[in-house]
Amino acid sequence: KQNRGFCLKKTCLITGCSGYIGSRLVFLMHEKGWEVHGIIRENSNKKYIDTFPYTVSLHLFNGKIKSLVSIIKKTKPDVVFHIAGYAVYENTIDQVKKIIDANITFPSMLVEAMLENSIYNLINTGTSWQFYHSENYKPVNLYAATKQAFQDLLLFYVSV
């Protein structure tokens, strides 16, 4: 059959693919026929990834934005699913930097890398902890506040 310019196979890139929710999304997208790529860190726990009954292309993020630019350039995703995050209910002072890096810095670098590669489709996840007692916005903890902060940063990117 003649290819009329339709993309026969869609490609996605998933952050947080090594976690429970991200791994379920990897499974779903694979079952739907998508080419699935995941971003992992050197110290990512791979217990869910190791149970995949198929191969998923994993890309190592080294902490630098050039790494993300390279990953996105290589994978050319139709959509990026940002599932990754660092969640703790009650943080300690030693966790503050890790929470901010994971929930604000990393996804901001991800969006910049997407823009560098002319990729504009992002699905971001937040947490119900942003909406304590079903209020419009009332964060339960620092994790929820950082998820909201990144969501607010996305408003900037949408408006440019």
Side-chain angles (χ1 to χ4, degrees):
K1 290 184 176 182
Q2 180 182 10
N3 182 345
R4 297 183 183 156
F6 295 108
C7 180
L8 300 177
K9 186 160 190 148
K10 296 269 187 183
T11 301
C12 66
L13 179 63
I14 301 173
T15 71
C17 67
S18 62
Y20 179 76
I21 294 171
S23 68
R24 300 299 93 207
L25 180 60
V26 167
F27 179 77
L28 175 69
M29 298 310 288
H30 184 270
E31 290 293 308
K32 296 289 183 184
W34 285 60
E35 179 181 326
V36 181
H37 296 267
I39 295 177
I40 60 170
R41 292 166 289 134
E42 190 173 344
N43 60 348
S44 291
N45 183 340
K46 297 180 187 141
K47 75 176 183 179
Y48 295 115
I49 294 172
D50 290 341
T51 65
F52 290 161
Y54 44 80
T55 302
V56 58
S57 298
L58 298 175
H59 305 271
L60 185 63
F61 170 59
N62 67 8
K64 304 204 181 307
I65 195 165
K66 287 183 179 183
S67 172
L68 289 172
V69 170
S70 176
I71 291 167
I72 292 171
K73 183 177 184 178
K74 181 178 180 181
T75 61
K76 298 178 183 73
D78 295 290
V79 64
V80 174
F81 293 92
H82 175 52
I83 309 297
Y86 182 68
V88 291
Y89 187 74
E90 291 183 35
N91 61 280
T92 65
I93 195 168
D94 296 333
Q95 294 170 311
V96 172
K97 183 176 179 352
K98 189 170 184 177
I99 292 168
I100 291 171
D101 284 350
N103 300 327
I104 297 175
T105 305
F106 169 72
S108 297
M109 292 190 323
L110 178 68
V111 171
E112 289 288 343
M114 290 173 64
L115 293 174
E116 183 71 20
N117 285 284
S118 300
I119 303 295
Y120 305 107
N121 297 318
L122 173 71
I123 296 176
N124 180 55
T125 58
T127 174
S128 62
W129 286 350
Q130 291 167 248
F131 311 103
Y132 188 63
H133 290 303
S134 300
E135 294 189 29
N136 284 339
Y137 174 62
K138 185 174 182 183
V140 171
N141 50 29
L142 182 60
Y143 163 68
T146 58
K147 291 302 262 185
Q148 183 68 41
F150 178 65
Q151 208 167 303
D152 291 342
L153 288 171
L154 284 175
L155 293 174
F156 161 74
Y157 286 108
V158 169
S159 68
V160 291

